[in-house]
Amino acid sequence: MENYFNYYTEIEEHFQNRRGTPTLLSPLDWFLIESFQSAGIPLEVILRGIDRAFEKRSKARSKTQKINSLAYCTQAILAEYERHQASLAGSSSQVEVNSSPATSSEADRANLIQLLDKASDLLKQSRDQSPSHPGSSLVEVIDDTISSLKAIKTEISTCQHPDYEHLEMRLSTLEEKVLASLISSLSEDVLMAVRAEVSSEIHRHRRGLRAEQMALLERKMLHKRLFDRFHLPRLSLFYLPLN
């Protein structure tokens, strides 16, 4: 489980160190990191890309202008990834970004069980506050998800070495089912309003982003905005709330 956290936190810390100030990453930056992880870009490649972006800025004429967003580094990161892929051409070795730990401590398992309990509690609260009536598809999906989390918790309690990569896939599948049910329960007007908000946010950060990156970020931001608006927890080893 630690690898899932490290991917995000090490990128954030490296960016802050290169910038020289502890500036918090924006929601767009976090979605960029998530898209890099989903694309399978190794951590070390992203760190090298960030370095290259800052080196390019230091050689530019406008040295007083700071890099305020990870989005500025996107092109350098993608270029570094292309070089990385080229270097692997003809090689059978594969770089794994999200490889599962070989072992798991009791503390890790206890922490994960706590996370699953908290997610279940938040789902129950969301169900009780849901605009859908009891017995609706959304409520039924939430109930099924709560039952699935309970089953996962039981498995983890009795498993010596949990497979975190497989667990992440299971949690992502549950999240996708909740999201699909939520979207189907909303009116066209509500969905259009949320899409307009997301589109406005994305287009303020167009610089340095490719069309495919824009589309991916828009989809991810839309999903997050819907989860936040209806107080539904994200089901991921990274997003599961501890507090």
Side-chain angles (χ1 to χ4, degrees), residues 140-160:
E140 289 180 354
V141 169
I142 291 177
D143 283 339
D144 289 344
T145 302
I146 293 172
S147 297
S148 295
L149 292 179
K150 183 178 180 180
I152 291 173
K153 187 178 73 170
T154 300
E155 293 174 17
I156 292 173
S157 300
T158 58
C159 180
Q160 187 67 25

Side-chain angles (χ1 to χ4, degrees), residues 101-167:
T103 60
S104 173
S105 67
E106 289 294 327
D108 282 340
R109 287 197 293 161
N111 184 54
L112 181 53
I113 290 173
Q114 183 181 357
L115 293 174
L116 294 172
D117 281 337
K118 183 64 175 179
S120 296
D121 290 341
L122 291 175
L123 281 170
K124 292 174 183 176
Q125 295 174 20
S126 299
R127 177 197 59 195
D128 295 340
Q129 299 170 4
S130 171
S132 302
H133 58 80
S136 67
S137 174
L138 177 58
V139 173
E140 289 180 354
V141 169
I142 291 177
D143 283 339
D144 289 344
T145 302
I146 293 172
S147 297
S148 295
L149 292 179
K150 183 178 180 180
I152 291 173
K153 187 178 73 170
T154 300
E155 293 174 17
I156 292 173
S157 300
T158 58
C159 180
Q160 187 67 25
H161 305 302
D163 184 341
Y164 290 110
E165 185 173 3
H166 178 66
L167 174 59

Side-chain angles (χ1 to χ4, degrees), residues 41-50 76-77 80-82 84:
I41 302 180
L43 174 62
E44 62 271 17
V45 171
I46 294 177
L47 302 186
R48 289 201 302 269
I50 293 173
I77 291 171
E80 189 65 27
Y81 184 45
E82 290 175 0
H84 171 74

